Amino acid sequence: MSTYLVVGGGFLGSHVAHRLAAQEHTVIVYSRSFSEWLVRKDRSSRGRIELAEGELPAGHGLAELIEQADVVFYLAGSSTPAMAQTDPGGSITSFVVPAAAVLDLMRETSTRRIVLASSGGTVYGAVKELPTSEEHPTEPINLHGHNSLTVERYAMFFAERHGFEPVILRYSNPYGPGQLARHGQGVVAAWCEALAHEEAITIYGDGQARRDFVFIDDAADATVLAGLRAVGPAVYNVGSGESWSLYDLLQVLERVTGRQANVHQIPARPVDVPATQLDCARIGGALGWQPTTSLEEGIRASWEWILQLPYERRG
């Protein structure tokens, strides 16, 4: 069995860690904090997940953990388009610098394989075609997209200069159990929490913006496959391959929960792309991956997760 280092103990990182542990690999999760999902599920992993608390960009002992790992999964970062626009310098410090530091630490080790999370929802910008393949021009309309591309380019630079094998995964909008709507992340989680708390749902613009929502189980499966099978350098989209307007999403949510939403509509934000729908044929052909969870199934699982949390920890 292999040893894997997951940098980032949040939503995606926790699901990836448990999938790796379920395959009887040794998993080290390095993070400054750990998600509710990771802590709750840790008991079921038979001691195969080690939690290493530390700060990025270069916390004490991180280089030694990288050296132990066959593959590094870099799944850290809490930036959003709105946050990056409000605090450009802070977004670079919290998003770009830590990723570059981890890549730099890898130079000092024998570990060369890394899976990096990027943003399929923002790197392409206002797209010219849907669904959007990896060959589409990358023309972000917000700083979060530019930051994501910068991290991608760092990884490819290290591939050229130091023989790294980066696999970059451009996720659309992951959602599902374990996600909490903190720091403006995750419209599905935010709306589930609003309905659970009997609060208003906020929609930016006319509700016609379209998004590709990928369920967390599907996203985690793609991530694990990329780490265990893919040989970089490579770039893959990870999405559902479908596109839903925000009003479509609201109708599904109301149907699943049986609750009527109180909608608060406010002006659209310039940082939000008009539409996202990822073409995932490349990862399907290379790794045999495809999403299997419908939007309705995924929202039902998200809703059930929110309802079982203590009230004060839902948001």
Side-chain angles (χ1 to χ4, degrees), residues 194-285:
L195 283 178
H197 292 177
E198 299 183 350
E199 297 172 349
I201 279 175
T202 300
I203 292 183
Y204 292 93
D206 61 5
Q208 296 307 309
R210 305 189 69 83
R211 295 290 178 265
D212 182 336
F213 298 100
V214 60
F215 189 59
I216 187 60
D217 286 358
D218 293 328
D221 286 342
T223 308
V224 170
L225 281 173
L228 274 59
R229 296 186 189 175
V231 177
V235 179
Y236 298 118
N237 285 339
V238 178
S240 72
E242 298 180 340
S243 188
W244 302 77
S245 75
L246 295 180
Y247 272 124
D248 291 336
L249 174 65
L250 182 59
Q251 289 177 357
V252 175
L253 185 60
E254 289 181 331
R255 184 167 64 250
V256 167
T257 64
R259 301 193 182 189
Q260 186 72 33
N262 175 21
V263 177
H264 177 53
Q265 201 159 352
I266 60 179
R269 302 179 298 186
V271 298
D272 293 330
V273 298
T276 304
Q277 182 182 0
L278 298 184
D279 180 343
C280 301
R282 179 185 287 183
I283 191 172

Coordinates of all heavy atoms in Angstrom, one line a residue, residues 194-285:
A194 N -30.0 28.0 4.4 CA -31.0 29.0 4.5 C -32.4 28.4 4.7 O -33.2 28.9 5.6 CB -31.0 29.9 3.3
L195 N -32.7 27.4 4.0 CA -34.0 26.7 4.1 C -34.1 26.1 5.5 O -35.2 26.1 6.1 CB -34.2 25.7 3.0 CG -34.6 26.3 1.7 CD1 -34.7 25.1 0.7 CD2 -35.9 27.0 1.7
A196 N -33.0 25.5 6.0 CA -33.1 24.8 7.3 C -33.3 25.8 8.4 O -33.9 25.5 9.4 CB -31.8 24.0 7.5
H197 N -32.8 27.0 8.2 CA -32.9 28.1 9.2 C -34.1 29.0 9.0 O -34.3 29.9 9.7 CB -31.6 28.9 9.2 CG -30.4 28.2 9.7 ND1 -29.2 28.8 9.7 CD2 -30.2 27.0 10.2 CE1 -28.3 28.0 10.2 NE2 -28.9 26.9 10.5
E198 N -34.9 28.7 7.9 CA -36.0 29.5 7.5 C -35.6 30.9 7.3 O -36.3 31.9 7.7 CB -37.1 29.4 8.6 CG -37.7 28.0 8.8 CD -38.8 27.9 9.8 OE1 -39.0 28.9 10.5 OE2 -39.4 26.9 10.0
E199 N -34.5 31.0 6.5 CA -34.0 32.3 6.1 C -34.2 32.5 4.6 O -34.4 31.6 3.9 CB -32.5 32.5 6.5 CG -32.3 32.4 8.0 CD -30.8 32.3 8.4 OE1 -30.0 32.1 7.4 OE2 -30.5 32.5 9.6
A200 N -34.0 33.8 4.2 CA -34.1 34.1 2.7 C -33.0 33.5 1.9 O -31.8 33.4 2.4 CB -34.3 35.6 2.5
I201 N -33.2 33.1 0.7 CA -32.2 32.7 -0.2 C -31.9 33.9 -1.1 O -32.7 34.6 -1.6 CB -32.7 31.5 -1.1 CG1 -32.6 30.2 -0.3 CG2 -32.0 31.5 -2.4 CD1 -33.2 29.0 -1.1
T202 N -30.6 34.1 -1.3 CA -30.1 35.2 -2.1 C -29.7 34.8 -3.5 O -29.0 33.8 -3.6 CB -28.9 35.9 -1.4 OG1 -29.2 36.4 -0.1 CG2 -28.4 37.1 -2.3
I203 N -30.3 35.5 -4.5 CA -29.9 35.2 -5.9 C -29.3 36.5 -6.5 O -29.9 37.5 -6.4 CB -31.1 34.7 -6.7 CG1 -31.6 33.4 -6.2 CG2 -30.8 34.7 -8.2 CD1 -32.8 32.8 -7.0
Y204 N -28.1 36.3 -7.0 CA -27.5 37.5 -7.7 C -28.0 37.5 -9.2 O -27.9 36.5 -9.9 CB -26.0 37.4 -7.7 CG -25.4 37.5 -6.3 CD1 -25.2 36.4 -5.5 CD2 -25.1 38.7 -5.8 CE1 -24.6 36.5 -4.3 CE2 -24.5 38.9 -4.5 CZ -24.3 37.7 -3.8 OH -23.7 37.8 -2.5
G205 N -28.5 38.7 -9.6 CA -28.9 38.9 -10.9 C -30.3 38.3 -11.2 O -31.1 38.2 -10.3
D206 N -30.5 37.9 -12.5 CA -31.9 37.4 -12.9 C -32.1 35.9 -12.6 O -33.2 35.4 -13.0 CB -32.1 37.8 -14.3 CG -31.2 37.1 -15.3 OD1 -30.3 36.3 -14.8 OD2 -31.2 37.5 -16.5
G207 N -31.1 35.2 -12.1 CA -31.3 33.8 -11.8 C -31.0 32.9 -13.0 O -31.2 31.7 -12.9
Q208 N -30.6 33.5 -14.2 CA -30.4 32.8 -15.4 C -28.9 32.3 -15.6 O -28.6 31.6 -16.5 CB -30.8 33.5 -16.6 CG -32.3 33.8 -16.6 CD -33.2 32.6 -16.4 OE1 -32.9 31.6 -17.1 NE2 -34.1 32.6 -15.5
A209 N -28.0 32.8 -14.7 CA -26.6 32.3 -14.7 C -26.6 30.8 -14.6 O -27.4 30.2 -13.7 CB -25.8 32.9 -13.6
R210 N -25.8 30.1 -15.4 CA -25.8 28.7 -15.4 C -24.6 28.1 -14.8 O -23.5 28.6 -15.0 CB -26.0 28.2 -16.9 CG -27.3 28.7 -17.5 CD -27.5 28.0 -18.9 NE -27.9 26.6 -18.7 CZ -29.2 26.3 -18.4 NH1 -30.2 27.2 -18.3 NH2 -29.5 25.0 -18.3
R211 N -24.7 27.0 -14.1 CA -23.6 26.4 -13.4 C -23.6 24.9 -13.6 O -24.6 24.3 -13.7 CB -23.7 26.7 -11.9 CG -23.5 28.2 -11.5 CD -22.1 28.7 -11.8 NE -22.0 30.1 -11.5 CZ -22.1 31.0 -12.4 NH1 -22.3 30.7 -13.7 NH2 -21.9 32.3 -12.1
D212 N -22.4 24.3 -13.6 CA -22.2 22.9 -13.6 C -21.9 22.4 -12.2 O -20.9 22.8 -11.6 CB -21.0 22.6 -14.6 CG -20.7 21.1 -14.7 OD1 -21.1 20.3 -13.8 OD2 -20.1 20.8 -15.7
F213 N -22.8 21.7 -11.6 CA -22.7 21.3 -10.2 C -22.2 19.8 -10.2 O -22.9 18.9 -10.7 CB -24.0 21.4 -9.4 CG -24.5 22.8 -9.3 CD1 -25.5 23.3 -10.2 CD2 -23.9 23.7 -8.4 CE1 -25.9 24.6 -10.1 CE2 -24.4 25.0 -8.3 CZ -25.4 25.5 -9.2
V214 N -21.1 19.5 -9.6 CA -20.6 18.1 -9.5 C -20.6 17.7 -8.1 O -20.2 18.3 -7.2 CB -19.2 18.0 -10.1 CG1 -18.1 18.9 -9.4 CG2 -18.7 16.6 -10.2
F215 N -21.3 16.5 -7.9 CA -21.4 16.0 -6.5 C -20.1 15.6 -6.0 O -19.2 15.1 -6.7 CB -22.4 14.8 -6.6 CG -22.8 14.3 -5.2 CD1 -23.4 15.1 -4.3 CD2 -22.5 13.0 -4.8 CE1 -23.8 14.6 -3.0 CE2 -22.9 12.5 -3.6 CZ -23.5 13.3 -2.7
I216 N -19.9 15.7 -4.7 CA -18.6 15.5 -4.0 C -18.1 14.1 -4.2 O -16.9 13.9 -4.4 CB -18.6 16.0 -2.6 CG1 -17.2 15.9 -2.0 CG2 -19.6 15.1 -1.8 CD1 -16.2 16.9 -2.6
D217 N -18.9 13.1 -4.1 CA -18.5 11.7 -4.3 C -17.8 11.6 -5.7 O -16.8 10.9 -5.8 CB -19.6 10.8 -4.2 CG -20.1 10.6 -2.7 OD1 -19.4 11.2 -1.8 OD2 -21.0 9.8 -2.5
D218 N -18.5 12.1 -6.7 CA -17.9 12.1 -8.1 C -16.6 12.8 -8.2 O -15.6 12.3 -8.8 CB -18.9 12.6 -9.1 CG -20.2 11.8 -9.2 OD1 -20.1 10.5 -9.0 OD2 -21.3 12.3 -9.5
A219 N -16.6 14.0 -7.6 CA -15.3 14.8 -7.6 C -14.2 14.1 -6.9 O -13.0 14.1 -7.4 CB -15.6 16.2 -7.0
A220 N -14.5 13.5 -5.8 CA -13.5 12.8 -5.0 C -13.0 11.6 -5.7 O -11.8 11.3 -5.7 CB -14.0 12.4 -3.6
D221 N -13.9 10.8 -6.4 CA -13.5 9.7 -7.2 C -12.5 10.1 -8.3 O -11.5 9.4 -8.5 CB -14.7 9.0 -7.8 CG -15.5 8.2 -6.8 OD1 -15.0 7.9 -5.7 OD2 -16.7 7.9 -7.0
A222 N -12.8 11.2 -9.0 CA -11.9 11.7 -10.0 C -10.6 12.1 -9.5 O -9.5 11.8 -10.1 CB -12.6 12.9 -10.7
T223 N -10.6 12.7 -8.3 CA -9.3 13.1 -7.7 C -8.4 11.9 -7.3 O -7.2 11.9 -7.6 CB -9.6 13.9 -6.4 OG1 -10.5 15.0 -6.8 CG2 -8.3 14.6 -5.9
V224 N -9.0 10.9 -6.7 CA -8.3 9.7 -6.4 C -7.7 9.0 -7.6 O -6.6 8.6 -7.6 CB -9.2 8.7 -5.5 CG1 -8.5 7.4 -5.3 CG2 -9.4 9.4 -4.2
L225 N -8.6 8.9 -8.6 CA -8.1 8.2 -9.9 C -6.9 9.0 -10.5 O -6.0 8.4 -10.9 CB -9.2 8.2 -10.9 CG -10.3 7.1 -10.7 CD1 -11.4 7.3 -11.7 CD2 -9.6 5.7 -10.9
A226 N -7.0 10.3 -10.4 CA -5.9 11.1 -10.9 C -4.6 10.9 -10.2 O -3.5 10.9 -10.8 CB -6.3 12.6 -10.9
G227 N -4.7 10.7 -8.9 CA -3.5 10.5 -8.1 C -2.9 9.1 -8.2 O -1.7 8.9 -8.2
L228 N -3.8 8.1 -8.4 CA -3.4 6.7 -8.5 C -3.0 6.3 -9.9 O -2.2 5.4 -10.0 CB -4.4 5.8 -7.9 CG -4.4 5.6 -6.3 CD1 -4.6 6.9 -5.6 CD2 -5.4 4.6 -5.9
R229 N -3.6 6.9 -10.9 CA -3.5 6.3 -12.2 C -2.8 7.3 -13.2 O -2.1 6.9 -14.1 CB -4.8 5.9 -12.8 CG -5.5 4.8 -12.1 CD -6.7 4.3 -12.9 NE -7.5 3.4 -12.1 CZ -8.7 2.9 -12.5 NH1 -9.2 3.4 -13.7 NH2 -9.4 2.1 -11.8
A230 N -3.2 8.6 -13.1 CA -2.7 9.6 -14.1 C -1.2 9.8 -14.0 O -0.7 9.8 -12.9 CB -3.5 10.9 -14.0
V231 N -0.6 10.1 -15.2 CA 0.8 10.5 -15.2 C 0.8 11.9 -15.8 O 0.4 12.1 -17.0 CB 1.6 9.5 -16.1 CG1 3.0 10.0 -16.2 CG2 1.6 8.1 -15.4
G232 N 1.3 12.8 -15.1 CA 1.4 14.2 -15.5 C 2.6 14.4 -16.3 O 3.5 13.6 -16.5
P233 N 2.7 15.7 -16.9 CA 1.8 16.8 -16.8 C 0.5 16.5 -17.5 O 0.5 16.0 -18.6 CB 2.5 17.9 -17.4 CG 4.0 17.5 -17.4 CD 3.9 16.1 -17.6
A234 N -0.6 16.9 -16.9 CA -2.0 16.7 -17.5 C -2.9 17.7 -16.9 O -2.8 18.1 -15.7 CB -2.5 15.3 -17.3
V235 N -4.0 18.1 -17.7 CA -5.0 18.9 -17.2 C -6.3 18.3 -17.5 O -6.6 17.9 -18.7 CB -4.9 20.3 -17.8 CG1 -6.1 21.2 -17.4 CG2 -3.6 21.0 -17.6
Y236 N -7.2 18.2 -16.5 CA -8.5 17.6 -16.8 C -9.7 18.4 -16.2 O -9.5 18.9 -15.0 CB -8.6 16.2 -16.1 CG -7.6 15.2 -16.6 CD1 -6.7 14.6 -15.8 CD2 -7.7 14.7 -18.0 CE1 -5.8 13.7 -16.3 CE2 -6.8 13.8 -18.5 CZ -5.9 13.3 -17.6 OH -5.0 12.3 -18.1
N237 N -10.7 18.5 -16.9 CA -12.0 19.1 -16.3 C -12.7 18.0 -15.5 O -12.6 16.8 -15.8 CB -13.0 19.5 -17.4 CG -12.6 20.7 -18.1 OD1 -11.8 21.6 -17.6 ND2 -13.1 20.9 -19.4
V238 N -13.3 18.5 -14.4 CA -14.1 17.6 -13.5 C -15.4 18.3 -13.2 O -15.5 19.2 -12.4 CB -13.4 17.3 -12.2 CG1 -14.2 16.4 -11.3 CG2 -12.0 16.6 -12.4
G239 N -16.5 17.8 -13.9 CA -17.8 18.4 -13.7 C -18.9 17.4 -13.9 O -18.6 16.2 -14.2
S240 N -20.1 17.8 -13.9 CA -21.2 16.9 -14.2 C -21.5 16.8 -15.7 O -22.1 15.9 -16.2 CB -22.5 17.4 -13.5 OG -23.0 18.5 -14.1
G241 N -21.0 17.8 -16.5 CA -21.2 17.8 -17.9 C -22.6 18.4 -18.2 O -23.0 18.5 -19.4
E242 N -23.3 18.8 -17.2 CA -24.6 19.5 -17.4 C -24.6 20.9 -16.8 O -23.7 21.3 -16.1 CB -25.7 18.7 -16.6 CG -25.9 17.2 -17.1 CD -27.0 16.5 -16.3 OE1 -27.3 16.9 -15.2 OE2 -27.5 15.5 -16.9
S243 N -25.6 21.7 -17.2 CA -25.6 23.1 -16.8 C -27.0 23.4 -16.3 O -28.0 23.1 -17.0 CB -25.2 24.0 -18.0 OG -25.1 25.3 -17.6
W244 N -27.1 24.0 -15.2 CA -28.4 24.4 -14.6 C -28.4 25.9 -14.2 O -27.5 26.4 -13.7 CB -28.6 23.6 -13.3 CG -28.5 22.1 -13.4 CD1 -27.4 21.3 -13.6 CD2 -29.7 21.2 -13.5 NE1 -27.8 20.0 -13.7 CE2 -29.1 19.9 -13.6 CE3 -31.0 21.4 -13.3 CZ2 -30.0 18.8 -13.7 CZ3 -31.8 20.3 -13.4 CH2 -31.3 19.0 -13.6
S245 N -29.5 26.5 -14.6 CA -29.7 27.9 -14.1 C -29.9 27.9 -12.6 O -30.3 26.9 -12.0 CB -30.8 28.6 -14.8 OG -32.1 28.2 -14.3
L246 N -29.7 29.1 -12.0 CA -29.9 29.1 -10.5 C -31.4 28.9 -10.2 O -31.7 28.3 -9.2 CB -29.4 30.5 -10.0 CG -27.9 30.7 -10.1 CD1 -27.6 32.1 -9.6 CD2 -27.2 29.7 -9.4
Y247 N -32.3 29.3 -11.1 CA -33.7 29.1 -10.9 C -34.0 27.6 -11.0 O -34.9 27.1 -10.3 CB -34.6 30.0 -11.8 CG -34.9 31.3 -11.2 CD1 -34.6 32.5 -11.8 CD2 -35.5 31.4 -9.9 CE1 -34.8 33.7 -11.2 CE2 -35.8 32.6 -9.3 CZ -35.4 33.8 -10.0 OH -35.7 35.0 -9.4
D248 N -33.4 26.9 -12.0 CA -33.5 25.5 -12.1 C -33.1 24.8 -10.8 O -33.8 23.9 -10.3 CB -32.6 24.9 -13.2 CG -33.1 25.3 -14.6 OD1 -34.3 25.6 -14.8 OD2 -32.2 25.3 -15.5
L249 N -32.0 25.2 -10.2 CA -31.5 24.7 -9.0 C -32.5 24.9 -7.9 O -32.7 24.0 -7.1 CB -30.1 25.3 -8.6 CG -29.5 25.0 -7.3 CD1 -29.1 23.5 -7.2 CD2 -28.3 25.9 -7.0
L250 N -33.0 26.1 -7.8 CA -34.0 26.4 -6.8 C -35.2 25.5 -6.8 O -35.7 25.1 -5.8 CB -34.4 27.9 -6.9 CG -35.4 28.4 -5.8 CD1 -34.8 28.3 -4.4 CD2 -35.7 29.9 -6.1
Q251 N -35.7 25.3 -8.0 CA -36.9 24.4 -8.2 C -36.6 23.0 -7.7 O -37.4 22.3 -7.0 CB -37.3 24.4 -9.6 CG -37.9 25.7 -10.1 CD -38.3 25.7 -11.6 OE1 -38.0 24.7 -12.3 NE2 -38.9 26.8 -12.0
V252 N -35.4 22.5 -8.0 CA -35.0 21.1 -7.5 C -34.9 21.1 -6.0 O -35.4 20.2 -5.4 CB -33.7 20.7 -8.2 CG1 -33.2 19.3 -7.6 CG2 -33.8 20.6 -9.7
L253 N -34.3 22.2 -5.5 CA -34.1 22.2 -4.0 C -35.5 22.3 -3.3 O -35.7 21.6 -2.3 CB -33.3 23.5 -3.7 CG -32.9 23.7 -2.2 CD1 -32.1 22.5 -1.7 CD2 -32.2 25.0 -2.0
E254 N -36.4 23.1 -3.8 CA -37.7 23.1 -3.2 C -38.5 21.8 -3.3 O -39.2 21.4 -2.4 CB -38.6 24.2 -3.9 CG -38.1 25.6 -3.5 CD -38.9 26.7 -4.1 OE1 -39.5 26.5 -5.2 OE2 -39.0 27.8 -3.6
R255 N -38.3 21.1 -4.4 CA -38.9 19.8 -4.6 C -38.4 18.8 -3.6 O -39.1 18.0 -3.0 CB -38.8 19.3 -6.1 CG -39.5 18.0 -6.4 CD -39.6 17.8 -7.8 NE -38.3 17.6 -8.5 CZ -37.7 18.4 -9.3 NH1 -38.3 19.6 -9.6 NH2 -36.6 18.2 -9.9
V256 N -37.1 18.8 -3.5 CA -36.4 17.8 -2.6 C -36.8 18.0 -1.1 O -37.0 17.1 -0.4 CB -34.9 17.8 -2.8 CG1 -34.2 17.0 -1.7 CG2 -34.5 17.2 -4.2
T257 N -36.7 19.3 -0.7 CA -36.9 19.6 0.7 C -38.4 19.8 1.1 O -38.7 19.7 2.3 CB -36.2 21.0 1.0 OG1 -36.8 22.0 0.3 CG2 -34.7 20.9 0.7
G258 N -39.2 20.0 0.1 CA -40.6 20.2 0.4 C -40.9 21.6 1.1 O -41.9 21.8 1.7
R259 N -39.9 22.5 0.9 CA -40.1 23.8 1.5 C -40.1 24.9 0.4 O -39.4 24.8 -0.6 CB -38.9 24.1 2.5 CG -38.8 23.0 3.6 CD -37.9 23.5 4.7 NE -37.8 22.4 5.8 CZ -37.3 22.6 6.9 NH1 -36.7 23.8 7.2 NH2 -37.2 21.6 7.8
Q260 N -40.8 25.9 0.7 CA -40.9 27.1 -0.2 C -39.9 28.1 0.2 O -39.8 28.5 1.3 CB -42.3 27.7 -0.2 CG -42.5 28.8 -1.2 CD -42.7 28.3 -2.6 OE1 -43.2 27.2 -2.8 NE2 -42.2 29.1 -3.6
A261 N -39.1 28.5 -0.8 CA -38.0 29.5 -0.5 C -38.5 30.9 -0.6 O -39.3 31.3 -1.4 CB -36.8 29.3 -1.5
N262 N -38.0 31.7 0.3 CA -38.2 33.2 0.3 C -37.0 33.7 -0.4 O -35.8 33.7 0.1 CB -38.3 33.7 1.7 CG -38.3 35.2 1.8 OD1 -38.7 35.9 0.8 ND2 -38.0 35.8 2.9
V263 N -37.1 34.2 -1.6 CA -36.0 34.6 -2.5 C -35.7 36.1 -2.3 O -36.7 37.0 -2.5 CB -36.3 34.3 -3.9 CG1 -35.2 34.8 -4.8 CG2 -36.5 32.8 -4.1
H264 N -34.5 36.5 -2.1 CA -34.0 37.8 -2.0 C -33.1 38.1 -3.2 O -32.0 37.5 -3.3 CB -33.3 38.1 -0.7 CG -32.7 39.5 -0.6 ND1 -33.4 40.6 -0.8 CD2 -31.4 39.9 -0.4 CE1 -32.6 41.7 -0.6 NE2 -31.4 41.2 -0.4
Q265 N -33.6 38.9 -4.2 CA -32.8 39.1 -5.4 C -32.1 40.4 -5.4 O -32.6 41.4 -5.0 CB -33.8 39.1 -6.6 CG -33.2 38.8 -7.9 CD -34.2 38.3 -9.0 OE1 -35.4 38.1 -8.6 NE2 -33.8 38.2 -10.2
I266 N -30.8 40.3 -5.7 CA -29.9 41.5 -5.7 C -29.2 41.6 -7.0 O -29.1 40.6 -7.8 CB -29.0 41.5 -4.5 CG1 -28.1 40.3 -4.5 CG2 -29.8 41.6 -3.2 CD1 -27.1 40.3 -3.4
P267 N -28.6 42.7 -7.3 CA -27.9 42.9 -8.6 C -26.8 41.9 -8.8 O -26.1 41.4 -7.9 CB -27.3 44.3 -8.6 CG -28.2 45.0 -7.6 CD -28.6 44.0 -6.6
A268 N -26.6 41.5 -10.1 CA -25.5 40.6 -10.5 C -24.2 41.1 -10.1 O -24.0 42.4 -10.1 CB -25.6 40.3 -12.0
R269 N -23.2 40.3 -9.9 CA -21.8 40.7 -9.6 C -21.0 40.5 -10.9 O -21.0 39.5 -11.6 CB -21.3 39.8 -8.5 CG -22.1 39.9 -7.2 CD -21.5 39.0 -6.1 NE -21.5 37.6 -6.5 CZ -21.1 36.6 -5.7 NH1 -20.7 36.9 -4.4 NH2 -21.1 35.3 -6.1
P270 N -20.1 41.5 -11.1 CA -19.2 41.4 -12.3 C -18.2 40.2 -12.3 O -17.7 39.8 -13.3 CB -18.5 42.7 -12.4 CG -18.6 43.3 -11.0 CD -19.9 42.7 -10.4
V271 N -18.0 39.7 -11.1 CA -17.0 38.6 -10.9 C -17.5 37.3 -11.3 O -16.8 36.3 -11.5 CB -16.4 38.5 -9.5 CG1 -15.7 39.8 -9.1 CG2 -17.5 38.2 -8.5
D272 N -18.9 37.2 -11.5 CA -19.5 35.9 -11.8 C -19.6 35.6 -13.3 O -20.1 36.4 -14.0 CB -20.9 35.8 -11.2 CG -20.9 35.8 -9.6 OD1 -19.9 35.3 -9.1 OD2 -21.8 36.4 -9.0
V273 N -19.1 34.4 -13.7 CA -19.1 34.1 -15.1 C -20.6 33.8 -15.5 O -21.4 33.3 -14.7 CB -18.3 32.9 -15.4 CG1 -16.8 33.2 -15.2 CG2 -18.7 31.6 -14.7
P274 N -21.0 34.1 -16.7 CA -22.4 33.8 -17.1 C -22.8 32.4 -17.1 O -24.0 32.1 -16.8 CB -22.5 34.4 -18.6 CG -21.3 35.3 -18.7 CD -20.2 34.7 -17.8
A275 N -21.9 31.5 -17.5 CA -22.3 30.1 -17.6 C -21.1 29.2 -17.5 O -20.0 29.5 -18.0 CB -23.0 29.8 -19.0
T276 N -21.3 28.0 -16.9 CA -20.3 27.0 -16.8 C -20.9 25.6 -17.1 O -22.0 25.3 -16.6 CB -19.8 26.9 -15.3 OG1 -19.2 28.1 -15.0 CG2 -18.6 25.8 -15.3
Q277 N -20.3 24.9 -18.0 CA -20.7 23.5 -18.3 C -19.4 22.8 -18.9 O -19.0 23.2 -20.0 CB -21.8 23.4 -19.3 CG -22.2 22.0 -19.6 CD -23.4 21.9 -20.7 OE1 -23.8 23.0 -21.2 NE2 -23.8 20.7 -21.0
L278 N -18.8 21.9 -18.1 CA -17.5 21.4 -18.5 C -17.7 20.1 -19.3 O -18.5 19.3 -19.1 CB -16.7 21.1 -17.2 CG -16.3 22.3 -16.4 CD1 -15.4 21.8 -15.2 CD2 -15.7 23.4 -17.1
D279 N -16.8 20.1 -20.4 CA -16.7 18.9 -21.2 C -15.7 18.0 -20.5 O -14.5 18.4 -20.4 CB -16.2 19.3 -22.6 CG -16.0 18.1 -23.5 OD1 -16.0 16.9 -23.0 OD2 -16.0 18.3 -24.8
C280 N -16.1 16.8 -20.0 CA -15.2 15.9 -19.3 C -14.8 14.7 -20.1 O -14.4 13.7 -19.5 CB -15.9 15.5 -18.0 SG -16.3 16.9 -16.9
A281 N -14.8 14.8 -21.4 CA -14.4 13.7 -22.2 C -13.0 13.3 -22.0 O -12.6 12.1 -22.1 CB -14.7 14.0 -23.7
R282 N -12.1 14.2 -21.8 CA -10.7 13.9 -21.7 C -10.4 13.0 -20.5 O -9.7 12.0 -20.6 CB -9.8 15.2 -21.6 CG -8.3 14.9 -21.4 CD -7.5 16.2 -21.2 NE -7.4 17.0 -22.4 CZ -6.7 18.1 -22.5 NH1 -6.1 18.5 -21.4 NH2 -6.7 18.8 -23.6
I283 N -10.9 13.3 -19.3 CA -10.7 12.5 -18.2 C -11.4 11.2 -18.3 O -10.9 10.2 -17.8 CB -11.1 13.3 -16.8 CG1 -10.5 12.5 -15.6 CG2 -12.6 13.5 -16.8 CD1 -10.7 13.2 -14.3
G284 N -12.5 11.2 -19.0 CA -13.2 9.9 -19.2 C -12.4 9.0 -20.0 O -12.3 7.8 -19.7
G285 N -11.8 9.5 -21.1 CA -11.0 8.7 -22.0 C -9.7 8.2 -21.3 O -9.3 7.1 -21.5

